[in-house]
Amino acid sequence: MNHTNVQAVPNTAFDVQKIRQDFPILHQQVHGKPLAYLDNAASAQRPQCVIDAVCRYETHDHANVHRGVHTLSERATQAYENAREKVRSYINAASVSECVYVRGTTEAINLVANAWGQNNVKAGDEILISWMEHHSNIVPWQMLCARTGAKLVVAPITPRGEIDMEKFAALLSDRTRLVAVGHISNALGTVNPIRDIIALAHDRDIPVLIDGAQAMPHTRVDVQDLDVDFYAFSGHKMFAPTGIGVLYAKTRYLERMPPYQGGGEMILAVNFERSVYNELPYKFEAGTPNIAGAVGLGAAIDYLGALDFAALLEHEQHLLDYATEQLSSLSGIRLIGTARKKASVVSFVLENIHAHDLGTIVDSDGVAIRTGHHCAMPVMDYFEVPATARASFAFYNTVDEIDALTNALKKAQRMFA
Ligand code: PMP
């Protein structure tokens, strides 16, 4: 990647100003300055079509799904299941029964740790993760290990913030029951070589769970092409509402997994002696689901599917290169995470200014960035920093917003000089 002289105007067919018209929330002032929303890795914004789809559903079609014969219930069921088909098609799952609605990535991983872990992990077994995982891809496995006596094994990372693949390969063993790694790191931006990871694990018949929370807004994922066993993601990172996400899992795993939660929706028949569980994927969807969220997710997928993804990626790469160059020119800055393959995330610390102070100061200029440990405390420990400031870009961000960030950081430096 060449960081020198990155042009402010990219040579791309991507019309960012037109795209921005789709996102009403972006057009506001914060503390009297134009909002520069650079916190997309925490949660992305929704286009008007997603807001409209949710509003239309709530205004005209809402009822509970699956159980009713009346018209609204049938409409709600259709909207909910149409959205599932959109998910299936977007990630190229073999069947809608492999797409389980959950609250988000966190719930998806907990579902696997509980329902799959229960019958497949015992004392002495190992779960292999990496050092750069989000807490939601650490803690559920730790809890599973505590319940079973299994061991959590952590593949180290390099100073660039990449998984050390030699060491990763050496940690795979006959004891490894599952590999669970992130597709893209939220704290570092690193794009992990998940194809290689899956191939290495599959050579030993070890299933792989990929935490795709950060990947869905930046990549097109084909679960069959990846041959991934479990893939977890959240709607709110990919321009859909909060409280909805998906666990993709191969049928052969889902079939053998017991339910995660018991209740309505997940049964075919109940008496006091026993219950007969519902077919896939409903066996894993106990209780009234987030129907409006699913409708919003379907609309977000329609929106993403209609974008020129190649042009979008070129634009995001340009934002990353430009931000990396601009921020690198600041005195006393240390970039945390300099992987060769990165998504549009820039984590950094500035000498003598705590990340939280930075966050507050740049907010006063309308610039929204995240500061803290980003739910990846082991990453902070590795780089020996208490926290970082993180700017994370979506395709609707502009170089002007990066300039606003750079200027706000310069202002902070003057305040602390
Ligand atoms: N994994 C990664 C890499 C993430 O960035 C996040 C959200 N920050 C999660 C998992 C958890 O996602 P959610 O909070 O939507 O469940």
Side-chain angles (χ1 to χ4, degrees):
M1 196 190 315
N2 177 12
H3 287 146
T4 55
N5 290 326
V6 177
Q7 300 295 307
V9 181
N11 176 23
T12 167
F14 197 71
D15 187 346
V16 66
Q17 292 307 334
K18 186 158 172 280
I19 289 280
R20 287 175 72 80
Q21 294 308 315
D22 297 336
F23 291 82
I25 203 169
L26 299 178
H27 307 284
Q28 62 177 293
Q29 300 219 324
V30 169
H31 302 302
K33 303 278 174 53
L35 167 66
Y37 186 77
L38 307 180
D39 192 19
N40 296 284
S43 200
Q45 301 296 352
R46 333 284 177 238
Q48 187 66 51
C49 60
V50 168
I51 299 166
D52 288 347
V54 173
C55 182
R56 221 170 19 247
Y57 167 77
E58 298 286 19
T59 310
H60 298 290
D61 300 328
H62 172 68
N64 212 332
V65 288
H66 297 144
R67 291 181 291 258
V69 292
H70 61 79
T71 302
L72 287 195
S73 178
E74 277 175 9
R75 267 197 235 150
T77 304
Q78 200 169 41
Y80 183 67
E81 294 303 335
N82 282 351
R84 198 192 306 269
E85 167 54 26
K86 288 176 187 184
V87 169
R88 185 210 63 73
S89 158
Y90 195 64
I91 62 172
N92 193 31
S95 158
V96 281
S97 62
E98 297 183 319
C99 303
V100 179
Y101 283 130
V102 287
R103 273 193 301 129
T105 309
T106 304
E107 188 173 50
I109 298 173
N110 276 278
L111 193 164
V112 178
N114 281 272
W116 176 86
Q118 182 175 321
N119 292 338
N120 291 283
V121 177
K122 56 183 187 326
D125 289 348
E126 294 178 355
I127 308 288
L128 178 57
I129 63 169
S130 90
W131 204 288
M132 72 173 83
E133 299 310 314
H134 187 280
H135 295 165
S136 60
N137 200 27
I138 302 174
V139 184
W141 307 119
Q142 244 167 10
M143 291 162 71
L144 174 64
C145 290
R147 283 197 300 278
T148 57
K151 188 174 157 204
L152 190 64
V153 178
V154 184
I157 56 175
T158 66
R160 278 177 176 270
E162 296 172 344
I163 295 178
D164 184 328
M165 286 303 290
E166 245 174 62
K167 293 194 172 129
F168 172 87
L171 286 169
L172 288 167
S173 81
D174 293 345
R175 291 181 300 280
T176 315
R177 285 293 149 267
L178 181 83
V179 169
V181 295
H183 193 160
I184 294 179
S185 158
N186 67 312
L188 302 169
T190 311
V191 181
N192 284 320
I194 62 164
R195 258 177 213 287
D196 298 345
I197 287 171
I198 292 167
L200 281 168
H202 283 183
D203 277 350
R204 290 175 169 271
D205 284 333
I206 300 165
V208 179
L209 176 141
I210 298 292
D211 166 356
Q214 293 296 335
M216 291 303 282
H218 301 296
T219 47
R220 287 299 310 261
V221 169
D222 180 328
V223 289
Q224 292 193 77
D225 182 47
L226 285 172
D227 196 24
V228 65
D229 302 286
F230 302 97
Y231 196 95
F233 59 95
S234 303
H236 71 103
K237 312 266 192 201
M238 53 184 293
F239 319 103
T242 53
I244 188 76
V246 173
L247 170 68
Y248 160 80
K250 286 180 182 164
T251 302
R252 69 170 189 274
Y253 290 104
L254 288 177
E255 271 174 349
R256 280 188 249 134
M257 283 157 57
Y260 171 50
Q261 294 175 330
E265 290 276 331
M266 52 73 71
I267 45 79
L268 291 175
V270 175
N271 62 39
F272 287 120
E273 280 67 51
R274 62 187 282 270
S275 300
V276 181
Y277 302 135
N278 206 339
E279 62 197 34
L280 297 177
Y282 311 111
K283 183 170 84 172
F284 296 103
E285 293 181 2
T288 301
N290 182 356
I291 310 163
V295 169
L297 178 59
I301 284 173
D302 284 344
Y303 182 82
L304 278 172
L307 292 176
D308 177 345
F309 226 80
L312 175 156
L313 288 180
E314 194 185 328
H315 176 69
E316 288 192 355
Q317 182 66 45
H318 179 72
L319 292 176
L320 174 66
D321 293 348
Y322 185 74
T324 305
E325 184 189 72
Q326 293 300 307
L327 296 189
S328 298
S329 71
L330 297 175
S331 61
I333 196 161
R334 177 180 167 208
L335 298 185
I336 305 289
T338 49
R340 284 161 292 189
K341 219 165 161 226
K342 269 186 77 169
S344 47
V345 171
V346 186
S347 257
F348 57 93
V349 288
L350 271 185
E351 216 168 64
N352 300 330
I353 314 179
H354 193 281
H356 288 310
D357 292 330
L358 266 186
T360 310
I361 295 166
V362 303
D363 178 64
S364 69
D365 278 348
V367 179
I369 58 170
R370 184 134 305 238
T371 57
H373 52 65
H374 315 296
C375 296
M377 283 186 177
V379 171
M380 302 299 120
D381 291 344
Y382 177 85
F383 288 98
E384 296 180 336
V385 292
T388 74
R390 180 189 70 188
S392 53
F393 313 115
F395 53 76
Y396 45 61
N397 287 125
T398 65
V399 288
D400 289 349
E401 291 175 310
I402 293 169
D403 288 342
L405 168 66
T406 312
N407 290 333
L409 293 174
K410 285 181 181 160
K411 180 169 130 188
Q413 285 187 313
R414 285 194 297 275
M415 286 167 75
F416 279 78

